[in-house]
Amino acid sequence: MILTLASVADASRHLREAADWLTEAATLLEDFPNSAIRDTWLAEVLTRLGDSLRQAGHHGEALEALRHACALAEQNGTEPLRTAGAHNALGILAKTTGDYPRAVHHYAQARLLIETTLGTDAPELASLHHNLAGLLHIQGLYLKAEPEIRTALELRRGGRLPDRAGIAADLSVLGAVLAGQGRFEEAKQSLETALGMWESLYGPQHYEVAVQLHNLASIHQEAGDLDAANVYFVRALDIKERTLGGSHVEIGEVLCNFASLRCEQGFTAEGLMLYAKALAIFEACFGPDHPKTQMCAGRRSRAAMAISK
């Protein structure tokens, strides 16, 4: 029952509530006598807890939960896929906090475990190819990212029951990767397909819809269609603020990109204000040395210099 409540909260993006339910489940399991079955379930709950905490922006707590989950799964020795799940979650967390080499390490560990257990064409590998593509994208390695995300799509589409949500997520990353290569029309097509799938699955006000709107905003900006980009940014920011709250790191990402657009449109004073809000969020979440904090600070500084000339 507790895990069901956690799943409902997570699906509606009430991430702190989901984390509270999962914490309660973990506490109950820890009171059970030590056994392989208990450790298996506890590792699963802690992995889900760590992922919810990461998405809620509580990175230190997420790392503690995920390390515990990984240790339990490895200690059990009979649950390689659960161990892979914990490593995958640790990889996502490392990417989020800017530790890209650590992310690569955890993804490689997860991939080895899955391939050894299920083979090299297992659908369960799709999420790892997806995550690696996202990691390469954030580093600007778009050509290397493309085959990874296309492999993820192929694996998901080839399953007996195609994973519609997974395919939509892959199409989103593919769109971003194609945009990074300057292939804007292909990128728009991929993202618009993903947007339609998310709206069909969850409705027009869901978090995943906002993710696609944000991506489409950035692509329209890069393609020079600034008015369309503005519309997408406003919609994305509205949904994400209502879904995540005003201080979540993803709000900072939208604000930072929206600030760039407003400056490009000639509204530099408004852009500087948006940059300041984004920078405050990044500094609170990550500190001053994180790549996102430094990127935002650099953009704000260049915009301020331009307005002073």
Side-chain angles (χ1 to χ4, degrees), residues 24-53:
E24 183 173 344
T27 301
L28 289 171
L29 284 167
E30 285 172 344
D31 288 337
F32 277 71
N34 289 340
S35 69
I37 294 176
R38 188 211 71 153
D39 287 351
T40 294
W41 278 101
L42 184 54
E44 176 70 18
V45 169
L46 288 170
T47 299
R48 289 180 58 184
L49 172 59
D51 201 50
S52 290
L53 289 167

Side-chain angles (χ1 to χ4, degrees), residues 289-309:
D289 298 325
H290 189 274
K292 287 184 179 178
T293 308
Q294 294 183 349
M295 174 273 296
C296 186
R299 286 189 185 179
R300 183 172 182 266
S301 177
R302 288 190 291 274
M305 289 176 62
I307 201 173
S308 65
K309 291 181 180 179

Side-chain angles (χ1 to χ4, degrees), residues 251-261 274-275 278 282 292 295-297 299:
I251 302 301
E253 292 168 355
V254 179
L255 288 170
C256 186
N257 291 333
F258 194 16
S260 170
L261 173 69
L274 293 169
Y275 274 133
F282 288 145
K292 287 184 179 178
M295 174 273 296
C296 186
R299 286 189 185 179

Side-chain angles (χ1 to χ4, degrees), residues 20-90:
D20 289 342
W21 284 118
L22 290 164
T23 299
E24 183 173 344
T27 301
L28 289 171
L29 284 167
E30 285 172 344
D31 288 337
F32 277 71
N34 289 340
S35 69
I37 294 176
R38 188 211 71 153
D39 287 351
T40 294
W41 278 101
L42 184 54
E44 176 70 18
V45 169
L46 288 170
T47 299
R48 289 180 58 184
L49 172 59
D51 201 50
S52 290
L53 289 167
R54 172 189 60 80
Q55 293 178 75
H58 303 289
H59 301 134
E61 295 174 67
L63 181 60
E64 182 179 353
L66 291 173
R67 281 177 171 171
H68 190 187
C70 196
L72 282 169
E74 288 176 341
Q75 175 183 302
N76 191 330
T78 62
E79 295 287 340
L81 296 183
R82 292 190 191 276
T83 307
H87 275 295
N88 185 38
L90 280 164

